[in-house]
Amino acid sequence: MKNNMVKKVVIAGGGTAGWVAAAALSKQLGKLIEVVLVESEQIGTVGVGEATIPPMRVFHSLLGIDEQEFMRATKAVFKLGISFKNWGQIGDEYIHPFGTTGQGSFLADFQHFWLHGKSKGINAEFGEYSFEIQAAKANKFATSKKSSINFAYHLDATRYAQFLRKFSENLGAKRIEGKIQQVQQHPDGDIKALVLESGEVVDGDLFIDCTGFVGLLIDKTLKTPYEDWSHWLPCNSAVPVQTESVEPAKPYVTCTAHHAGWQWHIPLQHRVGNGNVFCSDFMTDDQAIQHLLNNVQGKVLTEPRVIKYTTGRRKLFWNRNCVALGLSGGFVEPLESTSIYMFMNGIVRLMKMFPFSGVTQSLADEYNRQSIAELENIRDFIILHYHATSREDSEFWRYCKNMSVPDSLTHRMELFRETGLAFQGERELFRLESWTHVMLGQGIMPKHYHSVFKTMSDEEMVGHLTNTRNTIKNAVDKLPNHQDFVNQYCKAP
Ligand code: FAD
């Protein structure tokens, strides 16, 4: 007999998504529901996903996670942004930072002020008004309760899942080791139980699919369709490799574009994560591995292994009594590190809408509506990096430059190009500063800007811009070196 009340949640899969879900549910709802997670060591995890964004800190504070303990356990360092090399043109470089940039007015954001200064001959770059960019460039960092620096982390993905496993099990989550062989359904189609290779049957009321790209529940069982975004985001393969560190860890990720995709460099305390993201129409797996190995520093520690994926999303993240979190729900791109954020937000959203008295269509609809709106804004932001380029040196870049993009993105680019206006929409992760840094970095220069700053005297304007830059410079000068700060704050034994 089917019981509609949700008292037992079964999480299928123990990668980062599975353990993030288990940790949040056991901490916040553990007194009300039973949390069970099934994972298979034999299958393992995707083993990547090491760059994060600042909302992770909010998630950790919700769970009461101690930052130093977490950083020691995951051999993490700090991240202030992402450096993009060769994206707008070969030889270009800009940093997309966290935090605010400059100070605008009630009527117009800082980029208008900066553009006005530029028209008057003040040629300081936009990034000179960002504390995080200047600290990143100087390899400096410190955090304290009084500090306003905005940051995230680079972490070891395997260690992070282990850290969250311990955290969740201490709070009562139950882990079952075993390979799921079959998914049983009720006569109405809802999921009833997971049957393991050992014969054990794990039943539940609500199932969270964290089985990664395989999507064992959401796809293989419930056949939830997938919306393919390859025509906008054509990279469909990645090959990661870990290397020994050869220099102190930088507090930012580097993404270097090449003729058929791009390469990441993510420094941690004990090693560096590297990877080549590419489109298989323009680069073979062997070429991708060779390209990567030719462009890493330090001794290679792992065997290169190509991961294949299709960019896009599930048409429904919540279908029947199953919610897909992590790669089972879709994948936009590693660029801009949004995947971990999406499932952290997804589990918080689910807890806010938790179906204690039973799954209803209206709950699932609302959850899907919010998740889709958020992901589509992220998608547009990622496409911007590929599309707003002057590169024409390879077939891949010519395709990206000339492809048609979502109307929502065309509108943003046109608006910025014509007027200098950028905005953060409803349910949008990326702030207007993020849009502004990336649009400028990719070479979109506004033709006009808001006139409000023209009412300032030149002296006042120069004074304000110079003061802002000097304040940042003085603050950065006082910061310790990033690696030294990590060594005294959270160095793993
Ligand atoms: P997985 O890690 O694949 O875990 C799946 C789990 O399901 C495993 O425990 C597996 O054992 C289990 N499982 C599967 N089938 C069965 C079965 N039959 N029985 C039992 N258990 C089963 N995100 C970021 O935020 N930042 C980044 O920098 C970033 N970089 C990325 C780079 C690449 C190349 C890729 C592909 C992804 C990247 N991501 C990044 C995304 C990030 O890696 C994932 O979102 C994150 O690791 C979560 O993965 P997951 O838990 O959904 O899947």
Side-chain angles (χ1 to χ4, degrees):
M1 180 67 186
K2 194 177 156 194
N3 174 12
N4 283 330
M5 305 280 281
V6 174
K7 294 198 168 146
K8 180 175 176 188
V9 176
V10 176
I11 301 165
T16 312
W19 285 113
V20 156
L25 287 170
S26 358
K27 176 74 183 183
Q28 294 293 332
L29 302 181
K31 292 196 177 120
L32 300 169
I33 55 168
E34 188 185 343
V35 180
V36 176
L37 184 146
V38 182
E39 68 174 321
S40 160
E41 273 170 20
Q42 196 189 327
I43 295 175
T45 67
V46 72
V48 281
E50 308 207 309
T52 67
I53 52 177
M56 177 181 243
R57 287 163 49 214
V58 180
F59 182 79
H60 281 179
S61 67
L62 186 75
L63 266 58
I65 286 176
D66 178 81
E67 183 176 71
Q68 285 165 289
E69 191 191 335
F70 144 74
M71 291 188 76
R72 268 193 291 273
T74 61
K75 303 212 173 191
V77 303
F78 296 97
K79 173 181 171 189
L80 293 168
I82 305 176
S83 162
F84 290 94
K85 290 184 177 172
N86 300 340
W87 283 78
Q89 297 197 53
I90 295 177
D92 272 7
E93 183 170 358
Y94 69 94
I95 294 182
H96 167 206
F98 303 136
T100 53
T101 298
Q103 199 189 347
S105 77
F106 171 68
L107 288 183
D109 300 309
F110 178 71
Q111 72 272 18
H112 299 275
F113 198 165
W114 173 75
L115 286 163
H116 182 53
K118 218 170 150 52
S119 76
K120 295 277 178 178
I122 302 174
N123 281 322
E125 285 174 16
F126 192 61
E128 291 184 48
Y129 301 90
S130 156
F131 181 31
E132 285 75 10
I133 290 187
Q134 296 313 309
K137 282 184 164 174
N139 273 333
K140 291 189 160 195
F141 185 87
T143 173
S144 72
K145 291 219 160 59
K146 282 185 269 163
S147 154
S148 61
I149 202 160
N150 200 357
F151 62 91
Y153 315 97
H154 309 157
L155 51 82
D156 181 315
T158 306
R159 287 169 186 270
Y160 187 50
Q162 287 162 354
F163 174 77
L164 291 178
R165 171 179 166 187
K166 198 164 144 201
F167 178 91
S168 310
E169 287 182 324
N170 283 343
L171 287 167
K174 182 178 168 199
R175 173 188 183 273
I176 301 174
E177 167 62 36
K179 192 167 165 190
I180 304 160
Q181 201 167 45
Q182 193 206 336
V183 179
Q184 286 180 346
Q185 288 172 275
H186 290 285
D188 66 1
D190 280 5
I191 294 176
K192 185 173 174 224
L194 310 179
V195 184
L196 311 191
E197 216 170 41
S198 62
E200 185 176 353
V201 177
V202 185
D203 62 0
D205 307 314
L206 182 71
F207 291 80
I208 304 191
D209 188 343
C210 297
T211 57
F213 286 126
V214 65
L216 206 58
L217 282 63
I218 197 80
D219 180 22
K220 302 291 178 298
T221 308
L222 297 180
K223 314 273 185 256
T224 314
Y226 194 78
E227 190 172 300
D228 186 334
W229 289 344
S230 304
H231 51 298
W232 291 319
L233 295 165
C235 288
N236 55 10
S237 313
V239 52
V241 87
Q242 297 172 4
T243 53
E244 269 180 1
S245 311
V246 294
E247 58 184 6
K250 293 189 172 111
Y252 57 90
V253 171
T254 305
C255 297
T256 308
H258 59 68
H259 71 278
W262 58 280
Q263 180 170 336
W264 80 73
H265 172 98
I266 305 176
L268 309 179
Q269 286 186 26
H270 57 311
R271 61 164 172 83
V272 174
N274 311 271
N276 183 359
V277 177
F278 60 101
C279 174
S280 59
D281 291 349
F282 306 106
M283 194 178 229
T284 65
D285 290 359
D286 286 347
Q287 286 168 339
I289 292 171
Q290 208 45 57
H291 180 93
L292 179 66
L293 296 177
N294 289 346
N295 288 286
V296 293
Q297 291 180 301
K299 189 173 156 207
V300 174
L301 303 173
T302 52
E303 199 55 39
R305 176 183 54 97
V306 178
I307 302 167
K308 297 284 176 190
Y309 56 84
T310 306
T311 54
R313 68 163 172 89
R314 279 294 144 219
K315 292 225 166 150
L316 302 172
F317 296 106
W318 183 337
N319 188 3
R320 296 186 166 274
N321 62 339
C322 172
V323 178
L325 287 179
L327 299 171
S328 64
F331 187 48
V332 187
E333 255 269 353
L335 199 67
E336 294 287 358
S337 332
T338 53
S339 188
I340 296 174
Y341 160 80
M342 273 302 291
F343 56 74
M344 285 184 167
N345 218 20
I347 192 66
V348 171
R349 181 174 292 136
L350 178 62
M351 293 193 300
K352 285 183 177 169
M353 300 183 183
F354 199 82
F356 291 105
S357 15
V359 171
T360 66
Q361 194 56 48
S362 58
L363 269 178
D365 288 348
E366 183 55 23
Y367 180 92
N368 287 324
R369 191 186 69 79
Q370 291 186 17
S371 309
I372 291 167
E374 184 173 49
L375 192 62
E376 289 186 349
N377 282 324
I378 291 176
R379 174 202 66 195
D380 284 5
F381 187 63
I382 308 290
I383 298 172
L384 171 70
H385 298 64
Y386 287 97
H387 181 59
T389 181
S390 307
R391 283 191 70 154
E392 293 199 335
D393 54 290
S394 68
E395 232 182 296
F396 173 77
W397 286 106
R398 285 192 291 278
Y399 172 79
C400 293
K401 189 180 171 193
N402 296 315
M403 69 186 170
S404 66
V405 297
D407 292 345
S408 42
L409 176 58
T410 306
H411 166 67
R412 291 216 199 225
M413 290 168 63
E414 276 313 301
L415 185 69
F416 189 71
R417 192 176 281 118
E418 295 296 333
T419 68
L421 277 173
F423 61 90
Q424 177 172 16
E426 198 201 346
R427 299 218 174 282
E428 173 147 21
L429 165 65
F430 289 104
R431 300 148 312 128
L432 72 92
E433 274 108 334
S434 291
W435 283 93
T436 307
H437 275 283
V438 174
M439 286 197 272
L440 289 173
Q442 296 289 139
I444 306 180
M445 186 53 74
K447 289 186 199 143
H448 304 287
Y449 56 88
H450 200 291
S451 293
V452 68
F453 298 112
K454 294 179 187 163
T455 59
M456 281 174 110
S457 70
D458 285 1
E459 204 181 9
E460 227 184 324
M461 180 201 57
V462 172
H464 183 70
L465 289 174
T466 311
N467 275 345
T468 307
R469 290 199 308 277
N470 288 345
T471 308
I472 290 173
K473 187 178 175 314
N474 292 338
V476 170
D477 284 347
K478 289 195 192 103
L479 290 176
N481 172 276
H482 170 246
Q483 181 73 61
D484 291 347
F485 184 79
V486 168
N487 290 349
Q488 62 84 21
Y489 184 74
C490 56
K491 180 90 177 126

